[in-house]
């Protein structure tokens, strides 16, 4: 399960907006927002990989965001 709060924090921390992140991974802004509203349940592995690379996340950060077991 995706930790949406950590994802949003990482986006801001790395100087992105949701729109600029969507552009950098080749996704429509509305599609990214829809996936986030659905708690990230429909992210594909390719999209996750693109987000991790765009935000320059460490493997550990990526795991904590995209493969969280306990989400507040």
């Amino acid at each position: 399960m995706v930790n949406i709060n950590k994802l949003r924090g990482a986006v801001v921390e790395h100087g992105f907006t949701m729109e600029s992140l969507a552009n950098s991974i080749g996704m429509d802004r509305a599609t990214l927002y829809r996936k986030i509203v659905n708690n990230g349940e429909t992210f594909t592995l390719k999209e996750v990989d693109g987000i991790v690379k765009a935000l320059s996340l460490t493997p550990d950060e990526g795991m904590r965001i995209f493969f969280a077991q306990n989400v507040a």
Side-chain angles (χ1 to χ4, degrees), residues 17-71:
T17 63
M18 289 298 177
E19 185 170 357
S20 65
L21 177 61
N23 288 336
S24 71
I25 63 171
M27 182 184 290
D28 185 72
R29 175 181 55 94
T31 302
L32 179 60
Y33 280 113
R34 223 177 3 261
K35 288 178 181 270
I36 288 174
V37 167
N38 289 322
N39 293 319
E41 294 176 5
T42 60
F43 278 123
T44 66
L45 288 177
K46 182 178 178 181
E47 292 164 346
V48 168
D49 185 54
I51 292 170
V52 167
K53 287 178 181 174
L55 296 179
S56 300
L57 299 176
T58 65
D60 186 51
E61 290 171 320
M63 290 296 289
R64 281 185 282 154
I65 292 170
F66 291 103
F67 299 100
Q69 291 182 7
N70 296 322
V71 179

